[in-house]
Amino acid sequence: MQQDPEPAGSPEPQQDPALPHSPSMPPPESLCEGHQSSHSDSPTEQATEEEFQFLRCQGCRAEAKCPKLLPCLHTLCSGCLEESGTQCPVCRAPWPSGAGTQALDNVFFESLQRRLSVYQQIAREQAFCTRCKEPAHYWCFECEQLICAKCFEAHQWFLKHEARPLAELRSQSVREFLDGTRKSNNIFCSNPNHRSPMLTSIYCRGCSKPLCCSCALLDRGHSELKCEISTEIQQRQDELDTMTKDLQEQDRAFGAAQAQMRSAISQLGRVRADTEELIRERVREVVAHVLDQERELLEGVGARYQRDYEEIAGQLGRLDAVLQRIRMGSVLVQRMKLYASDQEVLDMHDFLRKALHQLRQEEPQSLRATVHTDSFNEFRGRLQDLVSCITQGTDAALSRRASPEAASTPRDTCGTDPRSASW
């Protein structure tokens, strides 16, 4: 794309010499450190901190430094990401291969942390001028800077930006402040040949980039693909909303399958407990003669339970992981809808869309692992044979056990053919 002439309204000539060259929001303070610095938090501050707990690392629950968004839609700090190995430490989802599926810089979380930090400084009257470090009295929504009264005069003389007194901002709720700051975020032309950033409101769907007026006019190949950048952002947000709504049906399906699995495990445990109790009651009556039989029967029940449990638990683990990803995706999109800036939606849309599309392909497994309560009837039958042998024919039972055929099959109980029993 060719370089266009510098328009008269370029930000470069209007830059305030009394302020830093490029707009920058003050560096974020740790939310935890900010919390500890206050002697007693008000109910409002406590509610704010609880509401924005989602900004913490979902691995270690500490403040997320350089947060990264994984393909499974969990966000980790840089430390947890380095230690995660080949799978997510939260849901154990394996890391897919390919350059397009690596962790993404969670610019939404980073920006929201910075804006929350500014709001805390303003609310606690701990805000200082970005340039001279004197107590600040104004906040410029376009430069994203705290400004003292002295610097404010120079700022307004050269730039005439929207700057509001901090006293006025302190009367706002945190949501009102965040809503104002996210709408003020500027989007610049993507052409790297500009000598200074060029504000724009045009988006080229052919280039998949924002363009200024000059670049848009020069790009004749995509003349029919230009639109207002707000329209493109709204369309992308609507697309993500639609995808999360479509996932609600999967949420219900996975939730139902999860409930079935949990019910199956509960039923399996009850059958196990009932069978063990019956075994213990009967074995106590003849414990002097059949202590070894009691041990073998209990081991058999435990092995049967463990086999069935592991089959169901394996399916339950997958359901838990996918269901957690679905819900995490829905929560993340809703948070972005409330707090993400336009640029953040543009930056994160493709990644989120791909992750949510992959979730759409997931299907819950059917409940293949059904509990067969009669699978324990074998042990009940062997127990009854044992009792019958003892109460009706102890001598005959001992004679059969002493036979060479019985001696070669130690699991035989009072002459029962062990080959008919399936463990």
Side-chain angles (χ1 to χ4, degrees):
M1 184 176 293
Q2 297 180 356
Q3 181 177 350
D4 58 305
E6 194 81 24
S10 173
E12 177 70 19
Q14 296 181 1
Q15 182 64 44
D16 183 354
L19 295 174
H21 176 72
S22 59
S24 60
M25 185 174 285
E29 296 179 354
S30 170
L31 297 180
C32 298
E33 293 173 358
H35 178 73
Q36 293 172 354
S37 65
S38 177
H39 296 290
S40 59
D41 287 342
S42 67
T44 301
E45 290 176 319
Q46 293 176 357
T48 299
E49 183 162 342
E50 291 176 2
E51 180 177 0
F52 293 100
Q53 285 294 310
F54 70 91
L55 291 175
R56 293 184 176 276
C57 171
Q58 289 155 352
C60 63
R61 302 308 302 167
E63 182 188 1
K65 299 289 188 181
C66 302
K68 298 284 186 179
L69 181 63
L70 306 184
C72 62
L73 301 181
H74 287 109
T75 295
L76 299 180
C77 64
S78 55
C80 289
L81 187 66
E82 292 176 358
E83 299 174 0
S84 60
T86 59
Q87 62 181 10
C88 172
V90 181
C91 67
R92 304 301 178 189
W95 285 54
S97 58
T101 56
Q102 299 302 316
L104 175 74
D105 290 335
N106 197 329
V107 293
F108 165 48
F109 276 26
E110 288 182 320
S111 172
L112 190 54
Q113 285 174 348
R114 288 195 300 270
R115 288 185 280 154
L116 276 174
S117 175
V118 170
Y119 178 79
Q120 289 175 340
Q121 294 176 48
I122 294 174
R124 295 171 181 170
E125 300 186 6
Q126 298 174 349
F128 296 93
C129 179
T130 306
R131 178 177 178 271
C132 65
K133 308 307 178 184
E134 292 294 323
H137 298 87
Y138 296 90
W139 166 256
C140 177
F141 282 90
E142 295 188 48
C143 296
E144 296 182 339
Q145 291 181 344
L146 293 164
I147 309 172
C148 67
K150 181 178 179 181
C151 295
F152 175 73
E153 295 180 3
H155 178 275
Q156 293 304 94
W157 176 265
F158 286 96
L159 299 179
K160 299 181 175 58
H161 286 171
E162 178 189 1
R164 297 174 62 183
L166 300 191
E168 179 182 335
L169 295 179
R170 290 190 188 100
S171 63
Q172 292 184 339
S173 67
V174 61
R175 286 197 174 187
E176 290 173 333
F177 179 81
L178 293 176
D179 187 58
T181 53
R182 75 157 176 166
K183 290 180 179 178
S184 68
N185 283 2
N186 297 321
I187 296 180
F188 299 94
C189 178
S190 58
N191 186 355
N193 296 323
H194 290 310
R195 290 192 297 272
S196 60
M198 300 289 293
L199 290 173
T200 182
S201 61
I202 302 173
Y203 187 81
C204 177
R205 290 173 174 168
C207 301
S208 297
K209 294 178 179 178
L211 300 176
C212 65
C213 294
S214 300
C215 292
L217 289 173
L218 293 173
D219 184 24
R220 295 188 178 90
H222 298 151
S223 58
E224 301 298 325
L225 300 177
K226 306 296 192 306
C227 67
E228 285 286 335
I229 202 163
S230 59
T231 302
E232 176 67 16
I233 291 168
Q234 184 61 47
Q235 180 177 329
R236 294 192 178 199
Q237 186 70 63
D238 291 343
E239 181 183 15
L240 295 177
D241 285 341
T242 301
M243 294 185 72
T244 55
K245 289 176 182 177
D246 292 340
L247 284 173
Q248 290 177 1
E249 186 62 33
Q250 279 187 286
D251 188 295
R252 288 189 288 270
F254 274 89
Q258 181 192 51
Q260 285 183 310
M261 293 293 182
R262 294 189 182 278
S263 176
I265 289 179
S266 177
Q267 184 182 0
L268 189 65
R270 289 194 299 269
V271 174
R272 174 198 180 191
D274 293 343
T275 305
E276 287 181 342
E277 182 60 26
L278 179 60
I279 290 173
R280 289 190 178 96
E281 288 179 0
R282 297 298 178 86
V283 168
R284 277 195 294 267
E285 299 174 2
V286 290
V287 64
H289 303 281
V290 290
L291 284 176
D292 58 332
Q293 295 298 315
E294 178 189 22
R295 176 182 54 79
E296 292 181 9
L297 288 171
L298 289 175
E299 287 178 355
V301 172
R304 179 64 52 81
Y305 169 81
Q306 187 65 27
R307 185 194 69 185
D308 293 344
Y309 172 86
E310 289 177 356
E311 179 182 353
I312 301 173
Q315 299 182 47
L316 178 61
R318 177 183 175 274
L319 291 172
D320 284 340
V322 178
L323 187 61
Q324 188 181 39
R325 291 169 58 194
I326 290 173
R327 293 175 178 174
M328 181 57 61
S330 298
V331 170
L332 180 60
V333 170
Q334 290 303 316
R335 296 294 187 184
M336 288 185 65
K337 189 175 181 180
L338 287 174
Y339 306 115
S341 69
D342 295 344
Q343 184 65 56
E344 292 156 7
V345 173
L346 286 175
D347 290 344
M348 300 176 65
H349 166 266
D350 289 340
F351 186 92
L352 287 173
R353 182 178 180 275
K354 184 175 181 180
L356 295 174
H357 178 73
Q358 290 177 347
L359 281 178
R360 289 288 309 280
Q361 308 306 312
E362 297 282 351
E363 293 183 2
Q365 296 178 346
S366 60
L367 184 61
R368 297 185 226 168
T370 56
V371 178
H372 301 287
T373 56
D374 57 353
S375 63
F376 291 86
N377 289 346
E378 172 199 348
F379 305 105
R380 297 172 184 264
R382 290 179 60 185
L383 177 62
Q384 186 60 45
D385 290 343
L386 175 62
V387 173
S388 298
C389 288
I390 293 174
T391 58
Q392 297 177 9
T394 304
D395 293 339
L398 292 175
S399 176
R400 286 194 295 271
R401 287 176 60 85
S403 66
E405 181 181 358
S408 64
T409 55
R411 289 188 181 274
D412 187 11
T413 304
C414 292
T416 302
D417 185 1
R419 291 171 295 181
S420 66
S422 83
W423 286 82

